[in-house]
Amino acid sequence: MKRCKNSSSQHVLKQRGKEIAQNHDILYLGSNIYKVPSQSKTGKYYDVMFNSGGWKCMCPYHTHGKRQCKHILAVRYVINSKKPKDKKQNVTIIVPDVQCPNCHSNDFKKRGMRPNKTIPVQRYSCKKCGRYFTHRPGFNGKHYSPEIITEVLYLHAMAVLPTRIVEFLQEKNGFSMTRTTIFRWIKEYGDLLLKFQKKYTIVGDVWHTDEIYFTVNGSGRLLFGVMDASTRFIISYDISKTKFGYDATSLFKKAMEYAGKYPDMLISDGLGGFKTGYKKAMYTRTKPRTTHVADVGIRNRHPANNIYERFNGEVRDRIARVRGFKSEHPALIDLIVIYHNFVRQHAGIGNITPAKAGGITIEGKNKWRTMIEHAALFCA
């Protein structure tokens, strides 16, 4: 009898969650946080959030008993019914306007050029607070121009070794640069661009996952990743020392945290780590639930992971020139993913970038500079 009672209460919660989703507006605040209206108190809202630890709600029913409440079920109903309130569309990333870093005023006056190591830098004075400043978000304090820094990032994303980059810049521009400077730029801007990617992750409802082998200090490593089928966007990725002992739970939780939803279908090969990760991170007893196709291959009835294998080919072409890494998490991997998502145009989706296919338009001829300047102001 107790079992039937619990089943009945869960059914009532589902119906109430469905009523909330259909009759009330669920507000999305960003960062996987929703505001769900209370049915008993007019004008009161409860915060519902989703992260790597699962679903959380601020209502007494969930906080006291750690049980799935009707507010969480309402948000899940909205997401699974393909009417999510958090769908970001037509996002345009542009170069930020000049503004005073002290009072954020746009009323300024040019005050000549400041000498620099490579090129002069424009100085401004704020008419509101009188402060002198330079406007180079993401590049302040650098002796080299943004064009040179972004060129170094692009060359490294193409797997050009830092030694070759130094030789190229010395022959092209006539000045010398140390490899330490290049490594510092790669680490600094790689971390900044990863924050940019986490903020602007727009994906569809069918995901692919696979792995590729590379070496670190002579030892084998595997790069596991999750890709959206409709946009070819790499949602998340992880590095493991083993293949058959790998658990993809953290990989899938990270992907769902960035996307803000569960996928309708997950496509993978028969690796046990993918099945384990699906059961722990995505599987739910309630419907609709994520469908896991775990037997893809050439001879099987389901299609192969051909779109993900194309990305594996990109990675393989890059790391073949490097001939192994020394770091457990190479910065080159981060730049390859950023280049794939936001810079490279793909013929399979109409000769546009995966970001463009998801509704993110990056303005400007130098996309690397636009992303860095935008991330320095809004994502840091």
Side-chain angles (χ1 to χ4, degrees), residues 181-343:
T181 301
I182 294 177
F183 285 126
R184 185 172 65 251
W185 288 349
I186 293 170
K187 180 65 171 65
E188 176 183 353
Y189 291 108
D191 293 342
L192 184 62
L193 290 172
L194 284 179
K195 295 178 181 178
F196 175 85
Q197 174 170 292
K198 291 176 183 179
K199 183 175 181 180
Y200 296 104
T201 299
I202 302 178
V203 297
D205 299 317
V206 179
W207 297 356
H208 289 251
T209 183
D210 204 358
E211 79 285 339
I212 185 174
Y213 177 87
F214 65 97
T215 60
V216 174
N217 288 328
S219 301
R221 298 290 186 273
L222 290 117
L223 175 67
F224 291 85
V226 178
M227 172 189 285
D228 174 50
S230 60
T231 62
R232 310 297 198 265
F233 196 98
I234 301 298
I235 310 171
S236 65
Y237 52 98
D238 193 12
I239 296 176
S240 173
K241 295 182 179 180
T242 60
K243 177 177 180 179
F244 297 102
Y246 176 72
D247 186 352
T249 303
S250 61
L251 175 69
F252 294 158
K253 285 185 176 181
K254 191 191 305 181
M256 292 188 296
E257 181 181 355
Y258 294 163
K261 65 178 182 180
Y262 286 80
D264 289 346
M265 180 179 293
L266 176 70
I267 300 176
S268 72
D269 55 25
L271 187 66
F274 293 141
K275 299 178 180 179
T276 303
Y278 164 75
K279 291 180 180 178
K280 292 182 179 180
M282 295 183 179
Y283 180 80
T284 58
R285 294 185 178 181
T286 59
K287 292 183 179 181
R289 68 169 68 97
T290 301
T291 302
H292 185 202
V293 178
D295 58 348
V296 297
I298 298 176
R299 297 183 179 180
N300 297 335
R301 59 188 178 90
H302 295 293
N305 258 349
N306 51 348
I307 60 173
Y308 198 100
E309 291 294 345
R310 181 65 189 90
F311 171 71
N312 284 344
E314 294 179 39
V315 178
R316 191 177 295 108
D317 292 341
R318 305 290 191 274
I319 63 179
R321 306 174 192 174
V322 180
R323 299 179 183 177
F325 300 97
K326 295 183 179 180
S327 173
E328 289 294 331
H329 189 107
L332 176 59
I333 299 295
D334 299 334
L335 292 182
I336 290 175
V337 173
I338 293 167
Y339 173 78
H340 172 93
N341 286 340
F342 296 99
V343 181

